[in-house]
């Protein structure tokens, strides 16, 4: 990497015409990224589980008359079956023919408690939404990404995805798994021209952060819109052959 992705300055039109699917685009970091990517010319596919929230993001995007009209993909990652993933990929193929960017951003926190006390059903749900769902979505999207001239996959990690810490339970384990999935996929795709990387957003003022740290001073936290430089770098052409990296957004 020649430059620090955190310092990257996205130019107007950076993502012009790129088809980018963002999971968890209804809120937090995913929403902020969807709005910014659309502003930079991307054709955004807004994924989430709440159609009302997704429609609100859609409306915000089309309020800018120069933005391309986004698509909405409503699918609950906790319950989606293989037919739902296939149907999503088929819709993208029919509507756009290919995919240039896939951002795995959706996630849940689960419980903050010891492994000794951790509820097994919550453990399974967190692993499923944060890790298995990203695997399933990657699998159905790979053929569409391979049709792009500059494909990029971004996984979302965390500080506790690199170093385990007490009380972070299934969330931490899911993020270690995410780092592993990124490394494996990057290695497997190393000759295909596909970028596969992880971003650790750091502390960001979102609902998830509030759930994790209810007592902290939120005024000190970065807004989701302030930490997007490395996402835009990896989605656009300037990141070139950058792959297999785990990048800190802050
Ligand atoms: P957030 O505001 O809670 O947003 C999470 C997004 O994921 C929302 O759009 C949410 O949909 C969606 N989602 C959750 N469960 C889903 C499901 N079952 N099916 C479909 N969509 C689902 O969280 P965030 O802070 O922006 O987090 C985004 C990513 O950054 C996560 O992967 C998180 O682990 C990571 N991260 C965040 C921080 C931080 O400080 N914020 C730090 C490190 C890593 P709804 O709108 O319907 O809830």
């Amino acid at each position: 990497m020649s430059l620090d992705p955190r310092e990257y300055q996205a130019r107007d039109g950076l993502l012009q015409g790129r088809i980018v699917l963002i999971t968890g685009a209804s809120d937090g970091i995913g929403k902020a990224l969807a709005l910014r990517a659309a502003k930079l010319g991307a054709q955004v596919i807004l994924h989430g589980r709440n159609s009302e929230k997704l429609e609100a993001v859609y409306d915000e995007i089309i309020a800018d008359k120069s933005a391309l009209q986004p698509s909405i993909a409503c699918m609950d990652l906790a319950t989606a079956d293989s037919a739902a993933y296939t149907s999503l990929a088929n819709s993208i193929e029919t509507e756009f023919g290919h995919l240039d960017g896939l951002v795995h951003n959706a996630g849940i926190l689960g419980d903050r408690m010891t492994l000794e006390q951790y509820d097994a059903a919550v453990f399974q749900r967190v692993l499923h939404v944060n890790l298995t769902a990203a695997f399933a979505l990657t699998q159905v999207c790979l053929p569409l990404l391979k049709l792009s001239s500059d494909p990029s996959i971004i996984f979302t990690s965390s500080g506790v995805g690199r170093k385990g810490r007490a009380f972070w339970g299934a969330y931490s384990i899911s993020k270690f798994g995410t780092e592993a999935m990124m490394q494996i996929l990057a290695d497997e795709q190393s000759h295909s021209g596909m970028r596969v990387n992880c971003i650790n957003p750091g502390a960001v003022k979102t609902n998830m952060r509030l759930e994790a740290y209810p007592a902290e001073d939120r005024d000190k936290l970065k807004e989701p819109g302030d930490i997007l430089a490395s996402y835009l770098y990896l989605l656009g052409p300037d990141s070139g052959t950058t792959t297999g990296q785990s990048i800190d957004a802050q």
Side-chain angles (χ1 to χ4, degrees):
M1 256 180 288
S2 50
L3 69 92
D4 185 341
R6 290 170 292 198
E7 307 296 328
Y8 183 68
Q9 308 243 342
R11 60 184 174 280
D12 286 350
L14 177 79
L15 303 178
Q16 200 60 50
R18 290 190 182 223
I19 320 290
V20 179
L21 169 58
I22 302 170
T23 71
S26 57
D27 216 327
I29 297 165
K31 174 181 174 181
L33 179 61
L35 294 170
R36 186 72 59 80
K39 221 175 184 43
L40 293 170
Q43 167 70 67
V44 182
I45 304 166
L46 305 165
H47 162 270
R49 60 182 164 181
N50 179 323
S51 54
E52 269 180 36
K53 287 175 80 172
L54 289 170
E55 277 159 23
V57 181
Y58 176 99
D59 288 344
E60 241 183 279
I61 289 175
I62 60 163
D64 177 351
K65 297 280 175 257
S66 63
L68 294 173
Q69 197 176 330
S71 289
I72 288 181
C74 197
M75 183 173 89
D76 190 332
L77 299 175
T79 53
D81 57 13
S82 61
Y85 284 100
T86 303
S87 162
L88 172 55
N90 286 344
S91 307
I92 296 171
E93 185 177 17
T94 304
E95 204 172 341
F96 304 113
H98 73 281
L99 194 59
D100 299 297
L102 171 57
V103 184
H104 293 292
N105 161 82
I108 53 173
L109 183 66
D111 292 333
R112 297 285 318 280
M113 60 170 63
T114 61
L115 286 176
E116 190 174 12
Q117 292 172 313
Y118 211 98
D119 181 80
V122 176
F123 188 95
Q124 213 170 8
R125 188 160 64 247
V126 173
L127 266 290
H128 189 84
V129 170
N130 293 3
L131 186 60
T132 311
F135 157 72
L137 187 59
T138 300
Q139 223 178 31
V140 295
C141 287
L142 274 173
L144 295 167
L145 286 155
K146 285 181 179 173
L147 296 172
S148 166
S149 57
D150 189 33
S152 176
I153 301 180
I154 300 173
F155 289 94
T156 307
S157 181
S158 162
V160 294
R162 298 175 191 156
K163 172 114 182 65
R165 223 185 302 157
F167 315 123
W168 282 88
Y171 180 82
S172 172
I173 294 166
S174 74
K175 296 300 188 182
F176 266 86
T178 299
E179 293 273 357
M181 183 153 57
M182 176 280 286
Q183 290 178 16
I184 293 165
L185 190 61
D187 200 25
E188 288 170 354
Q189 298 296 328
S190 60
H191 300 295
S192 73
M194 194 176 304
R195 286 188 292 283
V196 184
N197 296 283
C198 257
I199 293 179
N200 164 25
V204 186
K205 196 194 284 184
T206 66
N207 291 338
M208 183 186 285
R209 179 76 192 182
L210 179 62
E211 203 184 334
Y213 294 96
E216 78 180 337
D217 179 0
R218 286 179 62 81
D219 291 341
K220 295 206 170 100
L221 294 173
K222 286 270 171 63
E223 295 287 345
D226 296 335
I227 58 109
L228 299 177
S230 50
Y231 290 86
L232 302 171
Y233 175 69
L234 290 175
L235 283 175
D238 297 329
S239 47
T241 56
T242 304
T243 197
Q245 304 295 312
S246 193
I247 293 170
D248 289 319
Q250 299 186 50

